[in-house]
Structure formats: C-alpha cells, structure tokens
Amino acid sequence: MISRRIAYRSVAVMIVAATLLPVGTASAEPPPPAAGPEAELVPGVYQPWQVDTPDQVLAPKVYTPGAAEDAVEPADAAVGAYDLVEYVPLGDAVARVTCTKSTGPFQRQVEKWLKRKADGKQSAADCKAIRAFQRKQKITPAIGFAGPVTWARMQFLAARDNPNAARKCPVRSYRVACVDLTRQITWVQKGKKVVYGPVPMRSGRAGYRTRAGWHKVYWKHKNHVSTLYHQPMPYAQFFDGGQAFHAVYGSIFTTVGSMGCVNLRLGDARKLWGVLKKGDRVFVWGRRYGT
C-alpha cells in the first residue's frame, strides 16, 4: 500500500512538471543555474521557448560571399520573440500572484534606481513601485519581483542618453564598438559621438565568456550558419575567433548567456551591420552577472 502511494505521488509530480515546462525545453535552452539567486527562477509567462542559438566557438572559415548570397536578407524574428519576460520564483509563477512578497536577486539595485530605501528587503510599498515600473516598461509578469530582466531594463534606460558617462570605453578618432559586459549593453562611438545604440545584448555565459580587451572586425557574413551547431547567426560580424556580433531568433533576456558571442535582437543586429566595417575596432570590458 505504501509503495503504491509513493508511485502515485511520483506520477503526480511528473504531471505537474510537465504542465509547467514549455514544449521543447530540454533542447531549446541550457538548464538554469544549479545554485545561486537564479537557481529557482523561471520565465514568468509559460509559452514555447524560442530556440537559443548556440554560438560558434571556433573561428569560422572565412570567404567572400557572392552578390547573390549577400542579396538575401535574413528572415524576420517571430512576433514576441524579444518580449521582456521576467524570471520569477516558481511558486509565484504557479500561483500567479498579483504582488510578490519575495526578495529578488537585484532587490537593492532596483530599490536604489527607484529612489527607495535600498535595504535589500521586499516590502508591500517596494512591490507596488517595482510593479508600476514593470507595467510601464511592458515587463511580464508585472508582480513586483526585482529580477534580472527588470534590472537589465533599468540599466539600459540609465545608459540610453550617455552610455559612456563613466568613460569605460576608450574614445578614439575612429569607430569603436563598445561592449559593456557588466550592464549588458553595446554601442558604437566615433570620438565622443555615439553613432549607434546603445542597445541591449547578451554575452557569454560562465565558462564561455566574451573575451575582454581590444579586438577587430575581421569578417562579416550576413547569412552565417554555425558549422558546429547548424544554427543561424544572422548579420554575423566576427571580431575574435568564433566570437561575433549577431542576431538570435529568441530572447536575449535570459539568465544564461551565450557561448561567447554578443547576441542582439534582429533589428539591432541589422542596423549594426550597416554601421560597422571590416577593420573597425571592438573594445570589451566588465563582467556579466553570474560569470
């Protein structure tokens, strides 16, 4: 009798898990962190995950694309591919709470940005303020959880008018593509003038960090496909071995980073394609959260 109850419980657990995990989860995106503040966070809106393009690790074979190949524009991304979907505690997502009591991994930073008492502890007033920001920025679910997507959006908004205010990216007379791993934003400047961006991005995960320092765009391939993983890398602009700027056909707002490339939304990657030229310099600094 006891063994039968255990069996029933096991089946029930598997059924619950199956209802929570979106279709294709096992092969679509790497598993979440095994430990740390994001270990128990899940996307707050349950829908089939977009394919997480596994970026090329090794340097590609360089060749000159023909006119016919270059004339083909990469396909557009699916509607909603780049929506701001926050990562929230599993219990809150299942219960579909209106305002969470949970303290998020970026609680103190979010409180400070909202000009609230930065004590790192969630309160009803904190939740209300965070939720209002999330609603305005169309972050879902807007339940007041200070998660990685909410904090990333705040960092982007703070950098939008003057991304190089801290002067972390060297000012030169020529174009420099600036890649800020800490804030997960990128832009291009010539002298002190920003000629592209800033735009949000996704850099390399733990063990596959986007390499810091000076680099140079050495190959541009509009319709590149990874020879290792056979996945599209639209508007690829390689700057260091197999690491490149390129678009992905899914969210760049994930808790897990790329395999080293700088991932962009399709529209941003397309615009950057027209800004950068072969030989342009790239400067990378900082460190992505969790790496």
Side-chain angles (χ1 to χ4, degrees), residues 13-272:
V13 169
M14 287 189 288
I15 291 174
V16 170
T19 61
L20 293 180
L21 292 177
V23 176
T25 296
S27 60
E29 185 174 331
E38 296 177 357
E40 296 181 0
L41 301 184
V42 296
V45 176
Y46 291 105
Q47 58 185 358
W49 291 358
Q50 303 293 333
V51 174
D52 180 19
T53 305
D55 303 312
Q56 191 150 306
V57 179
L58 302 177
K61 181 179 179 181
V62 176
Y63 70 96
T64 302
E69 180 183 349
D70 268 351
V72 177
E73 290 296 327
D76 289 333
V79 175
Y82 308 121
D83 287 353
L84 298 172
V85 180
E86 184 57 276
Y87 284 71
V88 300
L90 177 60
D92 286 349
V94 173
R96 299 185 184 276
V97 300
T98 302
C99 206
T100 184
K101 296 180 180 179
S102 303
T103 296
F106 295 95
Q107 187 75 35
R108 193 179 302 275
Q109 295 96 315
V110 168
E111 288 170 343
K112 185 176 180 180
W113 198 89
L114 292 172
K115 294 181 170 57
R116 300 192 55 76
K117 181 181 179 181
D119 58 5
K121 299 177 181 179
Q122 178 77 318
S123 68
D126 287 337
C127 184
K128 183 178 179 180
I130 298 170
R131 189 179 179 213
F133 172 82
Q134 291 170 334
R135 283 181 167 179
K136 183 176 181 180
Q137 297 299 317
K138 298 181 179 180
I139 298 172
T140 56
I143 63 172
F145 185 73
V149 176
T150 299
W151 177 231
R153 184 62 180 171
M154 288 179 172
Q155 291 191 96
F156 167 73
L157 293 175
R160 188 166 52 181
D161 294 334
N162 186 10
N164 204 30
R167 300 181 181 179
K168 294 292 183 69
C169 191
V171 174
R172 298 290 187 269
S173 60
Y174 46 82
R175 281 187 299 271
V176 177
C178 306
V179 180
D180 187 339
L181 303 180
T182 302
R183 294 184 295 173
Q184 291 291 285
I185 59 173
T186 187
W187 69 93
V188 179
Q189 61 188 33
K190 185 175 183 180
K192 294 182 179 180
K193 183 180 180 180
V194 176
V195 297
Y196 167 85
V199 297
M201 67 176 211
R202 177 177 61 179
S203 64
R205 68 190 71 177
Y208 298 91
R209 296 177 189 167
T210 305
R211 291 181 282 275
W214 281 104
H215 310 285
K216 183 183 293 185
V217 176
Y218 70 87
W219 190 44
K220 292 163 62 79
H221 193 197
K222 183 185 294 183
N223 292 286
H224 189 74
V225 176
S226 169
T227 56
L228 292 179
Y229 302 101
H230 310 291
Q231 294 291 334
M233 297 168 61
Y235 300 106
Q237 302 190 71
F238 290 88
F239 57 81
D240 183 32
Q243 297 189 349
F245 294 104
H246 72 85
V248 291
Y249 287 111
S251 178
I252 62 171
F253 306 104
T254 60
T255 57
V256 179
S258 73
M259 292 293 285
C261 285
V262 176
N263 294 163
L264 301 168
R265 297 171 298 192
L266 190 75
D268 294 335
R270 181 186 293 126
K271 188 173 181 179
L272 182 62

